[in-house]
């Protein structure tokens, strides 16, 4: 059995949004005890990742490191001027898979799930698909 739900969020410019509670709640709603959850965003300048939830400096450092690795440069040819956002999204990936055990996603003590906005601000969508098995 499989379940899928879309979620909406409004993002800021170059921001990280903790979506862990939404994912956990949806998994609980499905009643699936063991399986897989896939979290996906259909945007080319956004991503989904798991990272530390205890120290907000981790996300600031991650953002600074990505900005240093992929700065906005004039010589990029993409007419929208957001080539760096596309590069960050490709590196981070638009989806991730989670193992569901006993009705909950398996996450480490300090791990949360984040929607990564590399452009914005935008109205964004992400999906959670829960597959029993």
């Amino acid at each position: 059995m499989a379940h899928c739900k879309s979620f909406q969020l409004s993002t800021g410019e170059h921001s990280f949004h903790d979506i862990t509670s939404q994912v956990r709640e949806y998994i609980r709603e499905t009643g699936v005890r063991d399986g897989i959850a896939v979290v996906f965003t259909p945007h080319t300048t956004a991503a989904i990742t798991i990272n530390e939830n205890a120290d907000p400096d981790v996300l600031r450092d991650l953002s600074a490191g990505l900005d240093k690795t992929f700065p906005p440069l004039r010589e990029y040819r993409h007419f929208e001027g957001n080539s760096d956002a596309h590069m960050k999204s490709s590196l981070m990936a638009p989806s991730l898979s989670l193992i569901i055990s006993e009705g909950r996603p398996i996450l480490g003590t300090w791990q949360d799930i984040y929607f990564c906005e590399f452009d914005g601000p935008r109205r964004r969508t992400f999906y959670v698909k829960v597959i029993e098995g």
Side-chain angles (χ1 to χ4, degrees):
M1 181 176 280
H3 310 267
C4 189
K5 182 176 181 178
S6 66
F7 296 83
Q8 303 292 312
L9 75 150
S10 295
T11 65
E13 184 177 5
H14 308 271
S15 51
F16 291 89
H17 303 268
D18 188 343
I19 59 172
T20 310
S21 62
Q22 292 164 287
V23 173
R24 278 190 174 132
E25 177 61 22
Y26 181 58
I27 290 170
R28 189 193 64 72
E29 287 174 14
T30 68
V32 170
R33 301 287 299 151
D34 291 288
I36 300 290
V38 177
V39 185
F40 170 77
T41 185
H43 305 289
T44 60
T45 57
I48 306 289
T49 194
I50 293 176
N51 216 304
E52 182 175 326
N53 62 17
D55 182 354
D57 285 336
V58 171
L59 294 177
R60 283 193 273 282
D61 292 347
L62 179 58
S63 183
L66 288 168
D67 288 345
K68 186 174 182 179
T69 303
F70 301 108
L73 300 175
R74 283 188 170 159
E75 58 263 27
Y76 294 150
R77 297 178 64 176
H78 181 47
F79 73 95
E80 291 180 3
N82 62 353
S83 289
D84 60 309
H86 289 281
M87 291 175 200
K88 293 168 188 171
S89 173
S90 291
L91 176 71
M92 298 293 285
S95 68
L96 59 83
S97 299
L98 300 163
I99 297 169
I100 300 169
S101 179
E102 299 178 9
R104 299 174 52 103
I106 295 177
L107 291 168
T109 301
W110 307 113
Q111 289 183 321
D112 272 345
I113 306 161
Y114 293 94
F115 184 96
C116 312
E117 174 62 70
F118 299 122
D119 206 3
R122 298 274 192 279
R123 183 87 174 131
R124 297 293 200 175
T125 303
F126 68 93
Y127 295 86
V128 180
K129 181 154 186 123
V130 176
I131 305 164
E132 190 170 23

